Coordinates of all heavy atoms in Angstrom, one line a residue:
S1028 N -3.7 -46.3 7.9 CA -2.9 -46.7 6.8 C -2.6 -45.5 5.9 O -1.5 -45.3 5.5 CB -3.6 -47.8 6.0 OG -4.9 -47.4 5.6
Q1029 N -3.6 -44.7 5.7 CA -3.3 -43.5 4.9 C -2.4 -42.5 5.7 O -1.6 -41.9 5.1 CB -4.6 -42.8 4.5 CG -5.4 -43.5 3.5 CD -6.7 -42.8 3.1 OE1 -7.2 -41.9 3.8 NE2 -7.3 -43.2 2.0
G1030 N -2.6 -42.5 7.0 CA -1.7 -41.6 7.8 C -0.3 -42.1 7.7 O 0.7 -41.3 7.7
A1031 N -0.1 -43.5 7.7 CA 1.2 -44.0 7.6 C 1.9 -43.6 6.3 O 3.1 -43.3 6.2 CB 1.2 -45.5 7.8
M1032 N 1.1 -43.7 5.2 CA 1.6 -43.4 3.9 C 2.0 -41.9 3.8 O 3.1 -41.6 3.3 CB 0.6 -43.7 2.8 CG 0.3 -45.2 2.7 SD -1.0 -45.6 1.5 CE -1.6 -47.2 2.1
T1033 N 1.1 -41.1 4.4 CA 1.4 -39.6 4.4 C 2.6 -39.3 5.2 O 3.5 -38.5 4.8 CB 0.2 -38.9 4.9 OG1 -0.9 -39.2 4.0 CG2 0.4 -37.4 4.9
A1034 N 2.7 -39.9 6.4 CA 3.8 -39.7 7.3 C 5.1 -40.1 6.7 O 6.1 -39.3 6.7 CB 3.6 -40.4 8.6
L1035 N 5.2 -41.3 6.1 CA 6.4 -41.7 5.5 C 6.8 -40.8 4.3 O 8.0 -40.5 4.1 CB 6.3 -43.2 5.0 CG 6.3 -44.2 6.1 CD1 5.9 -45.6 5.5 CD2 7.7 -44.3 6.7
F1036 N 5.8 -40.4 3.5 CA 6.1 -39.6 2.3 C 6.7 -38.2 2.7 O 7.7 -37.8 2.2 CB 4.9 -39.4 1.4 CG 5.2 -38.7 0.2 CD1 5.6 -39.4 -0.9 CD2 5.0 -37.3 0.1 CE1 5.9 -38.7 -2.1 CE2 5.3 -36.6 -1.1 CZ 5.8 -37.3 -2.2
T1037 N 6.0 -37.6 3.6 CA 6.4 -36.2 4.0 C 7.6 -36.2 4.9 O 8.5 -35.4 4.7 CB 5.2 -35.4 4.6 OG1 4.7 -36.1 5.8 CG2 4.1 -35.3 3.6
A1038 N 7.6 -37.0 5.9 CA 8.7 -37.0 7.0 C 10.0 -37.2 6.4 O 11.0 -36.6 6.8 CB 8.4 -37.9 8.1
L1039 N 10.1 -38.1 5.4 CA 11.4 -38.5 4.8 C 11.9 -37.5 3.7 O 12.9 -37.6 3.1 CB 11.4 -39.9 4.2 CG 10.9 -40.9 5.3 CD1 10.9 -42.3 4.6 CD2 11.9 -40.9 6.5
R1040 N 11.1 -36.4 3.5 CA 11.4 -35.4 2.5 C 11.6 -34.0 3.1 O 11.8 -33.1 2.4 CB 10.4 -35.4 1.4 CG 10.5 -36.7 0.5 CD 9.3 -36.8 -0.4 NE 9.4 -37.9 -1.3 CZ 9.2 -39.2 -1.0 NH1 8.9 -39.6 0.2 NH2 9.4 -40.2 -1.9
R1041 N 11.4 -33.9 4.4 CA 11.6 -32.6 5.1 C 13.0 -32.2 5.3 O 13.9 -33.1 5.5 CB 10.9 -32.7 6.5 CG 9.4 -32.9 6.4 CD 8.8 -33.0 7.8 NE 9.2 -31.9 8.6 CZ 8.5 -30.7 8.8 NH1 7.4 -30.6 8.1 NH2 8.9 -29.8 9.6
R1042 N 13.3 -31.0 5.2 CA 14.7 -30.5 5.4 C 15.1 -30.8 6.9 O 16.2 -31.3 7.1 CB 14.7 -29.0 5.2 CG 16.1 -28.4 5.2 CD 16.2 -27.0 4.7 NE 15.2 -26.1 5.3 CZ 15.4 -25.5 6.5 NH1 16.4 -25.7 7.2 NH2 14.4 -24.7 7.0
V1043 N 14.2 -30.6 7.8 CA 14.5 -31.0 9.2 C 13.5 -32.1 9.5 O 12.3 -31.9 9.6 CB 14.2 -29.8 10.2 CG1 14.4 -30.2 11.6 CG2 15.1 -28.6 9.8
P1044 N 14.1 -33.3 9.7 CA 13.2 -34.5 9.9 C 12.6 -34.5 11.3 O 13.1 -33.9 12.3 CB 14.2 -35.7 9.8 CG 15.5 -35.1 10.3 CD 15.5 -33.7 9.8
P1045 N 11.4 -35.1 11.5 CA 10.9 -35.3 12.8 C 11.7 -36.3 13.6 O 12.6 -36.9 13.0 CB 9.5 -35.9 12.5 CG 9.7 -36.6 11.2 CD 10.6 -35.8 10.4
R1046 N 11.5 -36.4 14.8 CA 12.3 -37.4 15.6 C 12.0 -38.8 15.3 O 12.8 -39.7 15.4 CB 12.1 -37.1 17.1 CG 12.8 -35.8 17.6 CD 12.8 -35.8 19.1 NE 13.4 -34.6 19.5 CZ 14.7 -34.5 19.9 NH1 15.5 -35.6 19.9 NH2 15.2 -33.3 20.3
A1047 N 10.7 -39.1 15.0 CA 10.3 -40.5 14.7 C 9.1 -40.5 13.8 O 8.3 -39.5 13.7 CB 9.9 -41.1 16.0
V1048 N 9.0 -41.6 13.1 CA 7.8 -41.9 12.2 C 7.3 -43.2 12.6 O 8.0 -44.2 12.6 CB 8.2 -41.9 10.7 CG1 6.9 -42.2 9.9 CG2 8.7 -40.5 10.3
L1049 N 6.0 -43.3 13.0 CA 5.3 -44.5 13.3 C 4.4 -44.8 12.2 O 3.5 -44.0 11.9 CB 4.6 -44.5 14.6 CG 5.4 -44.1 15.9 CD1 4.5 -44.1 17.1 CD2 6.6 -44.9 16.1
A1050 N 4.6 -45.9 11.5 CA 3.7 -46.2 10.3 C 3.0 -47.5 10.5 O 3.6 -48.6 10.4 CB 4.6 -46.2 9.0
Y1051 N 1.7 -47.4 10.7 CA 0.9 -48.6 11.0 C 0.1 -49.0 9.7 O -0.7 -48.1 9.2 CB -0.1 -48.3 12.1 CG 0.6 -48.2 13.5 CD1 1.0 -46.9 13.9 CD2 0.8 -49.3 14.3 CE1 1.6 -46.8 15.2 CE2 1.4 -49.2 15.5 CZ 1.8 -47.9 16.0 OH 2.4 -47.8 17.2
S1052 N 0.3 -50.2 9.2 CA -0.5 -50.7 8.1 C -0.4 -49.8 6.9 O -1.4 -49.6 6.2 CB -2.0 -50.9 8.5 OG -2.1 -51.7 9.6
G1053 N 0.8 -49.4 6.5 CA 0.9 -48.4 5.4 C 1.8 -48.9 4.3 O 2.0 -50.1 4.1
A1054 N 2.3 -48.0 3.5 CA 3.2 -48.2 2.4 C 4.1 -47.0 2.2 O 3.7 -45.9 2.7 CB 2.3 -48.5 1.2
L1055 N 5.1 -47.2 1.5 CA 6.0 -46.1 1.1 C 5.7 -45.6 -0.3 O 6.0 -46.3 -1.3 CB 7.5 -46.6 1.2 CG 8.5 -45.5 0.9 CD1 8.5 -44.3 1.8 CD2 9.9 -46.1 0.9
M1056 N 5.0 -44.5 -0.4 CA 4.7 -44.0 -1.7 C 5.8 -43.2 -2.2 O 6.6 -42.5 -1.5 CB 3.4 -43.1 -1.5 CG 2.2 -43.7 -0.8 SD 1.7 -45.3 -1.5 CE 1.0 -44.7 -3.0
G1057 N 6.0 -43.2 -3.5 CA 7.0 -42.4 -4.2 C 8.4 -42.9 -3.9 O 9.4 -42.2 -3.9
A1058 N 8.5 -44.2 -3.7 CA 9.9 -44.8 -3.4 C 10.8 -44.8 -4.6 O 12.0 -44.7 -4.4 CB 9.7 -46.3 -3.0
E1059 N 10.3 -44.7 -5.8 CA 11.1 -44.7 -7.0 C 11.9 -43.4 -7.0 O 11.4 -42.3 -6.9 CB 10.2 -44.7 -8.3 CG 9.2 -45.9 -8.3 CD 8.0 -45.6 -7.5 OE1 7.5 -44.5 -7.4 OE2 7.5 -46.6 -6.9
G1060 N 13.2 -43.5 -7.1 CA 14.1 -42.3 -7.2 C 14.3 -41.6 -5.8 O 14.8 -40.6 -5.7
M1061 N 13.8 -42.2 -4.7 CA 14.0 -41.6 -3.4 C 15.4 -41.6 -3.0 O 16.2 -42.6 -3.3 CB 13.2 -42.4 -2.4 CG 13.1 -41.8 -1.0 SD 12.0 -42.8 0.0 CE 12.4 -42.0 1.6
V1062 N 15.9 -40.6 -2.4 CA 17.2 -40.5 -2.0 C 17.3 -40.3 -0.4 O 16.3 -39.9 0.2 CB 18.0 -39.3 -2.6 CG1 18.1 -39.5 -4.1 CG2 17.3 -38.0 -2.3
A1063 N 18.4 -40.7 0.2 CA 18.5 -40.6 1.6 C 18.5 -39.2 2.0 O 19.3 -38.4 1.4 CB 19.7 -41.4 2.1
P1064 N 17.8 -38.8 3.1 CA 17.9 -37.5 3.6 C 19.2 -37.2 4.3 O 19.9 -38.2 4.7 CB 16.7 -37.3 4.5 CG 16.4 -38.7 4.9 CD 16.8 -39.6 3.8
A1065 N 19.5 -36.0 4.7 CA 20.7 -35.7 5.4 C 20.7 -36.3 6.8 O 21.7 -36.7 7.3 CB 20.9 -34.2 5.5
A1066 N 19.5 -36.4 7.4 CA 19.3 -37.1 8.7 C 18.0 -37.9 8.7 O 17.0 -37.4 8.1 CB 19.3 -36.0 9.8
W1067 N 18.1 -39.0 9.3 CA 16.9 -39.9 9.4 C 16.2 -39.8 10.7 O 16.9 -39.7 11.8 CB 17.4 -41.4 9.3 CG 17.9 -41.8 7.9 CD1 19.1 -42.0 7.5 CD2 17.1 -42.1 6.8 NE1 19.2 -42.4 6.2 CE2 17.9 -42.5 5.7 CE3 15.7 -42.2 6.6 CZ2 17.5 -42.9 4.5 CZ3 15.2 -42.6 5.3 CH2 16.1 -42.9 4.3
P1068 N 14.9 -39.9 10.7 CA 14.2 -40.0 12.0 C 14.2 -41.5 12.3 O 14.5 -42.4 11.5 CB 12.8 -39.6 11.6 CG 12.6 -39.9 10.2 CD 14.0 -39.7 9.6
A1069 N 13.9 -41.9 13.5 CA 13.6 -43.3 13.9 C 12.3 -43.7 13.1 O 11.4 -42.9 13.0 CB 13.4 -43.4 15.4
I1070 N 12.3 -44.9 12.5 CA 11.2 -45.3 11.8 C 10.7 -46.7 12.3 O 11.5 -47.6 12.4 CB 11.6 -45.5 10.3 CG1 12.1 -44.1 9.7 CG2 10.4 -46.0 9.5 CD1 12.7 -44.2 8.3
L1071 N 9.4 -46.7 12.6 CA 8.8 -48.0 13.0 C 7.7 -48.3 12.0 O 6.8 -47.5 11.7 CB 8.2 -47.9 14.4 CG 7.4 -49.1 14.8 CD1 8.3 -50.3 15.0 CD2 6.6 -48.8 16.1
L1072 N 7.8 -49.5 11.4 CA 6.8 -50.1 10.6 C 6.0 -51.2 11.3 O 6.7 -52.1 11.8 CB 7.4 -50.7 9.3 CG 8.2 -49.7 8.4 CD1 8.9 -50.5 7.3 CD2 7.4 -48.5 7.9
V1073 N 4.7 -51.1 11.4 CA 3.9 -52.1 12.1 C 2.8 -52.5 11.1 O 2.2 -51.7 10.5 CB 3.3 -51.6 13.4 CG1 2.4 -52.6 14.1 CG2 4.3 -51.0 14.4
H1074 N 2.6 -53.8 11.0 CA 1.6 -54.3 10.0 C 1.1 -55.7 10.5 O 1.9 -56.5 10.9 CB 2.3 -54.5 8.7 CG 1.3 -54.2 7.5 ND1 1.5 -53.1 6.7 CD2 0.2 -54.7 7.2 CE1 0.5 -53.1 5.8 NE2 -0.3 -54.1 6.1
G1075 N -0.2 -55.9 10.4 CA -0.8 -57.2 10.6 C -0.5 -58.1 9.5 O -0.7 -57.8 8.3
E1076 N -0.1 -59.3 9.8 CA 0.1 -60.3 8.7 C -1.1 -60.7 8.0 O -1.0 -61.2 6.9 CB 0.9 -61.5 9.3 CG 2.3 -61.2 9.8 CD 3.0 -62.4 10.4 OE1 2.4 -63.5 10.7 OE2 4.2 -62.3 10.6
D1077 N -2.3 -60.5 8.6 CA -3.5 -60.9 7.9 C -4.3 -59.7 7.4 O -5.5 -59.8 7.3 CB -4.4 -61.8 8.8 CG -3.8 -63.1 9.2 OD1 -2.9 -63.6 8.4 OD2 -4.1 -63.7 10.2
D1078 N -3.6 -58.6 7.2 CA -4.3 -57.4 6.7 C -5.0 -57.6 5.4 O -4.3 -57.9 4.4 CB -3.3 -56.2 6.6 CG -3.9 -54.9 6.5 OD1 -5.0 -54.8 5.9 OD2 -3.3 -53.9 6.9
E1079 N -6.3 -57.4 5.3 CA -7.0 -57.6 4.1 C -7.2 -56.3 3.3 O -7.7 -56.3 2.2 CB -8.4 -58.2 4.4 CG -9.3 -57.4 5.2 CD -9.0 -57.2 6.7 OE1 -8.1 -57.9 7.2 OE2 -9.6 -56.3 7.3
V1080 N -6.8 -55.1 3.9 CA -7.0 -53.8 3.2 C -5.7 -53.4 2.5 O -5.7 -53.0 1.4 CB -7.5 -52.8 4.3 CG1 -7.6 -51.4 3.6 CG2 -8.8 -53.2 4.9
V1081 N -4.6 -53.4 3.3 CA -3.3 -53.0 2.8 C -2.4 -54.2 3.0 O -2.1 -54.5 4.2 CB -2.7 -51.8 3.4 CG1 -1.3 -51.5 2.9 CG2 -3.6 -50.6 3.3
P1082 N -2.1 -55.0 2.0 CA -1.3 -56.2 2.2 C 0.1 -55.9 2.9 O 0.7 -54.9 2.6 CB -1.1 -56.7 0.7 CG -2.1 -56.1 -0.1 CD -2.4 -54.7 0.6
I1083 N 0.5 -56.8 3.7 CA 1.7 -56.6 4.4 C 2.9 -56.5 3.5 O 3.9 -55.9 3.9 CB 1.9 -57.8 5.5 CG1 3.1 -57.4 6.4 CG2 2.2 -59.1 4.7 CD1 3.3 -58.4 7.6
A1084 N 2.8 -57.0 2.3 CA 3.9 -56.8 1.3 C 4.2 -55.4 1.1 O 5.4 -55.0 0.8 CB 3.4 -57.5 0.0
R1085 N 3.3 -54.5 1.3 CA 3.5 -53.0 1.1 C 4.5 -52.5 2.2 O 5.4 -51.8 1.9 CB 2.2 -52.2 1.2 CG 1.2 -52.6 0.1 CD 1.7 -52.4 -1.3 NE 2.0 -51.0 -1.6 CZ 1.2 -50.0 -2.1 NH1 0.0 -50.3 -2.3 NH2 1.7 -48.8 -2.3
S1086 N 4.3 -53.0 3.4 CA 5.3 -52.6 4.5 C 6.6 -53.3 4.3 O 7.7 -52.7 4.6 CB 4.7 -52.9 5.9 OG 3.8 -51.9 6.3
R1087 N 6.6 -54.5 3.9 CA 7.8 -55.2 3.6 C 8.7 -54.5 2.5 O 9.9 -54.4 2.6 CB 7.6 -56.7 3.3 CG 7.1 -57.5 4.5 CD 6.9 -58.9 4.2 NE 6.7 -59.7 5.4 CZ 5.8 -60.6 5.6 NH1 5.1 -61.0 4.5 NH2 5.6 -61.3 6.7
H1088 N 8.0 -54.1 1.5 CA 8.7 -53.3 0.4 C 9.2 -52.0 1.0 O 10.4 -51.7 0.7 CB 7.7 -53.0 -0.7 CG 8.3 -52.2 -1.8 ND1 8.0 -50.8 -1.9 CD2 9.2 -52.5 -2.7 CE1 8.6 -50.3 -2.9 NE2 9.4 -51.3 -3.4
A1089 N 8.5 -51.3 1.8 CA 9.0 -50.1 2.4 C 10.2 -50.4 3.3 O 11.2 -49.6 3.2 CB 7.9 -49.5 3.3
E1090 N 10.2 -51.4 4.0 CA 11.4 -51.8 4.8 C 12.6 -52.0 3.9 O 13.7 -51.5 4.2 CB 11.1 -53.1 5.6 CG 12.3 -53.5 6.5 CD 12.0 -54.9 7.2 OE1 11.3 -55.7 6.6 OE2 12.6 -55.0 8.3
Q1091 N 12.4 -52.8 2.8 CA 13.5 -53.1 1.9 C 14.1 -51.8 1.3 O 15.3 -51.6 1.3 CB 13.1 -54.0 0.8 CG 12.8 -55.4 1.3 CD 12.2 -56.3 0.2 OE1 11.8 -55.8 -0.9 NE2 12.2 -57.6 0.4
V1092 N 13.3 -50.9 0.9 CA 13.7 -49.7 0.3 C 14.4 -48.8 1.3 O 15.5 -48.3 1.0 CB 12.5 -48.9 -0.3 CG1 12.9 -47.5 -0.7 CG2 11.9 -49.6 -1.5
L1093 N 13.9 -48.7 2.5 CA 14.4 -47.8 3.5 C 15.8 -48.4 4.0 O 16.7 -47.6 4.2 CB 13.5 -47.6 4.6 CG 12.2 -46.8 4.3 CD1 11.2 -46.8 5.4 CD2 12.6 -45.4 3.9
L1094 N 15.8 -49.7 4.2 CA 17.1 -50.3 4.7 C 18.2 -50.1 3.6 O 19.3 -49.8 3.9 CB 16.9 -51.7 5.0 CG 16.1 -52.0 6.3 CD1 15.9 -53.5 6.4 CD2 16.9 -51.5 7.5
G1095 N 17.8 -50.2 2.3 CA 18.7 -50.0 1.2 C 19.3 -48.6 1.2 O 20.4 -48.4 0.7
L1096 N 18.5 -47.6 1.7 CA 19.0 -46.2 1.8 C 19.7 -45.9 3.0 O 20.2 -44.8 3.2 CB 17.8 -45.3 1.6 CG 17.1 -45.3 0.2 CD1 15.8 -44.5 0.3 CD2 18.1 -44.7 -0.8
G1097 N 19.8 -46.9 4.0 CA 20.5 -46.7 5.2 C 19.7 -46.2 6.4 O 20.2 -45.7 7.4
A1098 N 18.4 -46.3 6.2 CA 17.5 -45.8 7.3 C 17.5 -46.7 8.5 O 17.6 -47.9 8.4 CB 16.0 -45.7 6.7
P1099 N 17.3 -46.1 9.7 CA 17.2 -46.9 10.9 C 15.7 -47.4 11.1 O 14.9 -46.8 11.8 CB 17.6 -45.9 12.0 CG 17.1 -44.6 11.5 CD 17.3 -44.7 10.0
V1100 N 15.4 -48.5 10.5 CA 14.1 -49.1 10.5 C 13.9 -50.2 11.5 O 14.7 -51.1 11.6 CB 13.7 -49.6 9.1 CG1 12.3 -50.2 9.1 CG2 13.9 -48.6 8.0
E1101 N 12.9 -50.0 12.3 CA 12.4 -51.2 13.1 C 11.1 -51.6 12.5 O 10.4 -50.8 12.0 CB 12.2 -50.7 14.6 CG 13.5 -50.3 15.3 CD 13.2 -49.9 16.7 OE1 12.6 -50.8 17.4 OE2 13.6 -48.8 17.1
R1102 N 10.8 -52.9 12.7 CA 9.5 -53.3 12.2 C 8.9 -54.4 13.1 O 9.6 -55.1 13.9 CB 9.6 -53.9 10.8 CG 10.7 -55.0 10.7 CD 10.0 -56.3 10.4 NE 11.0 -57.2 9.9 CZ 10.9 -58.5 10.3 NH1 9.9 -58.9 11.1 NH2 11.7 -59.4 9.8
L1103 N 7.6 -54.4 13.1 CA 6.8 -55.4 13.9 C 5.7 -56.0 13.0 O 4.9 -55.2 12.6 CB 6.2 -54.8 15.1 CG 5.3 -55.7 16.0 CD1 6.1 -56.8 16.6 CD2 4.6 -54.8 17.0
W1104 N 5.9 -57.2 12.6 CA 4.8 -57.9 11.9 C 4.0 -58.7 12.9 O 4.5 -59.5 13.6 CB 5.4 -58.9 10.8 CG 6.4 -58.3 9.8 CD1 7.4 -59.0 9.3 CD2 6.5 -57.0 9.3 NE1 8.1 -58.2 8.4 CE2 7.6 -56.9 8.4 CE3 5.7 -55.8 9.4 CZ2 8.0 -55.8 7.7 CZ3 6.1 -54.7 8.7 CH2 7.2 -54.7 7.8
C1105 N 2.7 -58.4 12.9 CA 1.8 -59.0 13.9 C 1.0 -60.2 13.4 O 0.1 -60.0 12.6 CB 0.9 -57.9 14.4 SG 1.7 -56.4 15.1
P1106 N 1.3 -61.4 13.9 CA 0.6 -62.6 13.5 C -0.9 -62.5 13.8 O -1.3 -61.9 14.8 CB 1.2 -63.7 14.3 CG 2.5 -63.2 14.8 CD 2.3 -61.7 14.9
R1107 N -1.7 -63.0 12.9 CA -3.2 -63.1 13.1 C -3.9 -61.7 13.2 O -5.0 -61.7 13.6 CB -3.5 -64.0 14.3 CG -3.1 -65.4 14.1 CD -3.3 -66.3 15.3 NE -2.6 -65.8 16.5 CZ -1.3 -65.9 16.8 NH1 -0.5 -66.4 15.9 NH2 -0.8 -65.4 17.9
L1108 N -3.2 -60.6 12.9 CA -3.8 -59.3 13.0 C -4.2 -58.9 11.6 O -3.4 -58.9 10.6 CB -2.8 -58.3 13.6 CG -3.4 -56.9 13.7 CD1 -4.6 -56.8 14.7 CD2 -2.3 -55.9 14.2
G1109 N -5.4 -58.4 11.4 CA -5.9 -57.8 10.2 C -5.5 -56.4 10.1 O -4.4 -56.0 10.5
H1110 N -6.4 -55.6 9.5 CA -6.1 -54.1 9.3 C -6.5 -53.4 10.6 O -7.6 -52.9 10.8 CB -6.9 -53.6 8.2 CG -6.5 -52.2 7.7 ND1 -5.3 -52.0 7.1 CD2 -7.1 -51.0 7.8 CE1 -5.2 -50.7 6.8 NE2 -6.3 -50.1 7.3
G1111 N -5.5 -53.3 11.5 CA -5.8 -52.7 12.8 C -4.5 -52.6 13.6 O -3.4 -52.8 13.1
I1112 N -4.6 -52.2 14.8 CA -3.5 -52.0 15.7 C -3.8 -52.8 17.0 O -4.9 -52.6 17.6 CB -3.3 -50.5 16.1 CG1 -3.0 -49.7 14.8 CG2 -2.1 -50.3 17.0 CD1 -3.0 -48.2 15.0
D1113 N -2.8 -53.6 17.4 CA -3.0 -54.3 18.6 C -2.1 -53.8 19.7 O -1.4 -52.8 19.6 CB -2.8 -55.8 18.4 CG -1.3 -56.2 18.0 OD1 -0.5 -55.2 17.9 OD2 -1.1 -57.3 17.7
E1114 N -2.1 -54.4 20.9 CA -1.4 -54.0 22.1 C 0.1 -54.0 21.8 O 0.9 -53.1 22.2 CB -1.7 -54.8 23.3 CG -1.0 -54.4 24.6 CD -1.4 -52.9 25.0 OE1 -2.6 -52.6 24.8 OE2 -0.5 -52.2 25.5
A1115 N 0.6 -55.0 21.1 CA 2.0 -55.1 20.7 C 2.5 -53.9 19.9 O 3.5 -53.3 20.1 CB 2.3 -56.4 20.0
G1116 N 1.6 -53.5 18.9 CA 1.9 -52.4 18.1 C 1.9 -51.1 18.8 O 2.8 -50.2 18.6
L1117 N 1.0 -50.9 19.7 CA 0.9 -49.7 20.6 C 2.1 -49.6 21.5 O 2.8 -48.5 21.6 CB -0.4 -49.7 21.4 CG -1.7 -49.5 20.6 CD1 -2.8 -49.6 21.6 CD2 -1.6 -48.1 20.0
S1118 N 2.5 -50.7 22.2 CA 3.6 -50.6 23.1 C 4.9 -50.5 22.4 O 5.8 -49.7 22.9 CB 3.6 -51.9 24.0 OG 3.7 -53.0 23.3
T1119 N 5.1 -51.1 21.2 CA 6.3 -50.9 20.5 C 6.4 -49.4 20.0 O 7.5 -48.8 20.1 CB 6.4 -51.9 19.3 OG1 6.3 -53.2 19.8 CG2 7.7 -51.7 18.5
G1120 N 5.3 -48.9 19.6 CA 5.3 -47.5 19.2 C 5.7 -46.6 20.3 O 6.4 -45.6 20.1
A1121 N 5.2 -46.8 21.5 CA 5.5 -46.0 22.7 C 7.0 -46.1 23.0 O 7.6 -45.1 23.3 CB 4.6 -46.5 23.9
L1122 N 7.6 -47.3 22.9 CA 9.0 -47.4 23.1 C 9.8 -46.6 22.1 O 10.8 -46.0 22.5 CB 9.4 -48.9 23.1 CG 8.9 -49.7 24.3 CD1 9.2 -51.2 24.1 CD2 9.5 -49.2 25.6
V1123 N 9.4 -46.7 20.9 CA 10.2 -45.9 19.8 C 10.1 -44.4 20.1 O 11.1 -43.7 20.1 CB 9.6 -46.3 18.4 CG1 10.2 -45.3 17.4 CG2 10.0 -47.7 18.1
L1124 N 8.9 -43.9 20.5 CA 8.8 -42.5 20.8 C 9.6 -42.1 22.1 O 10.2 -41.1 22.1 CB 7.3 -42.2 21.0 CG 6.4 -42.2 19.8 CD1 5.0 -42.0 20.1 CD2 6.9 -41.2 18.8
Q1125 N 9.6 -43.0 23.1 CA 10.4 -42.7 24.3 C 11.8 -42.6 24.0 O 12.5 -41.7 24.4 CB 10.2 -43.9 25.3 CG 8.9 -43.8 26.1 CD 8.7 -45.0 27.0 OE1 9.3 -46.1 26.8 NE2 8.1 -44.8 28.1
R1126 N 12.4 -43.5 23.2 CA 13.8 -43.4 22.8 C 14.0 -42.2 21.9 O 15.1 -41.5 22.1 CB 14.2 -44.7 22.0 CG 14.4 -45.9 22.9 CD 15.1 -47.0 22.1 NE 14.7 -47.3 20.8 CZ 13.8 -48.2 20.4 NH1 13.3 -49.0 21.4 NH2 13.5 -48.4 19.2
A1127 N 13.2 -41.9 21.0 CA 13.4 -40.7 20.1 C 13.4 -39.4 20.9 O 14.1 -38.5 20.5 CB 12.3 -40.7 19.0
F1128 N 12.6 -39.3 21.9 CA 12.5 -38.1 22.7 C 13.3 -38.1 24.0 O 13.3 -37.1 24.7 CB 11.0 -37.7 23.0 CG 10.3 -37.3 21.7 CD1 9.6 -38.1 20.9 CD2 10.4 -35.9 21.4 CE1 9.0 -37.7 19.8 CE2 9.7 -35.5 20.2 CZ 9.0 -36.4 19.4
A1129 N 14.0 -39.1 24.2 CA 14.8 -39.2 25.5 C 16.0 -38.2 25.5 O 16.4 -37.7 26.5 CB 15.4 -40.6 25.6
T1130 N 16.4 -37.8 24.3 CA 17.6 -36.9 24.2 C 17.1 -35.5 23.9 O 17.9 -34.6 23.7 CB 18.5 -37.3 23.1 OG1 17.8 -37.4 21.8 CG2 19.1 -38.7 23.4
A1131 N 15.8 -35.3 24.0 CA 15.2 -33.9 23.7 C 15.5 -32.9 24.8 O 15.7 -33.2 25.9 CB 13.7 -34.0 23.5

């Protein structure tokens, strides 16, 4: 979750963006006043609907802010998953990375 927050904060503010950002059980820190970068990475938000550590509302807020800025956001809300990563989250992340690096 802290890695997701760090990745979203730094990746979306770099002059040269990474190819993809996978954010598991996180939040978008510093969303106030955020502006769209010149180029967007692929962004995947994954969150367990039963997360007791970082509420899923934090990822839903990130999705709303990023979509409002024109970001290419994909998301996966995982039913009955707490604060963790399941097979669906792993396989979806792998697909996002495959697509992001297919043109490398």
Side-chain angles (χ1 to χ4, degrees):
S1028 55
Q1029 289 179 345
M1032 294 175 204
T1033 301
L1035 286 169
F1036 185 87
T1037 58
L1039 303 179
R1040 289 165 173 82
R1041 294 179 51 94
R1042 188 172 47 84
V1043 177
R1046 290 193 179 260
V1048 176
L1049 306 182
Y1051 292 88
S1052 304
L1055 179 62
M1056 308 307 289
E1059 309 78 33
M1061 188 175 168
V1062 297
W1067 288 102
I1070 301 169
L1071 174 65
L1072 304 175
V1073 179
H1074 214 117
E1076 291 181 348
D1077 294 337
D1078 192 330
E1079 66 287 349
V1080 177
V1081 179
I1083 191 171
R1085 301 297 302 269
S1086 280
R1087 288 184 171 140
H1088 175 256
E1090 179 187 32
Q1091 291 174 345
V1092 170
L1093 293 170
L1094 288 174
L1096 291 170
V1100 179
E1101 291 183 55
R1102 55 109 164 145
L1103 176 65
W1104 307 148
C1105 302
R1107 297 174 304 284
L1108 180 65
H1110 190 71
I1112 302 171
D1113 63 4
E1114 185 60 39
L1117 289 174
S1118 59
T1119 303
L1122 290 172
V1123 168
L1124 290 174
Q1125 283 178 329
R1126 285 195 315 262
F1128 287 91
T1130 59

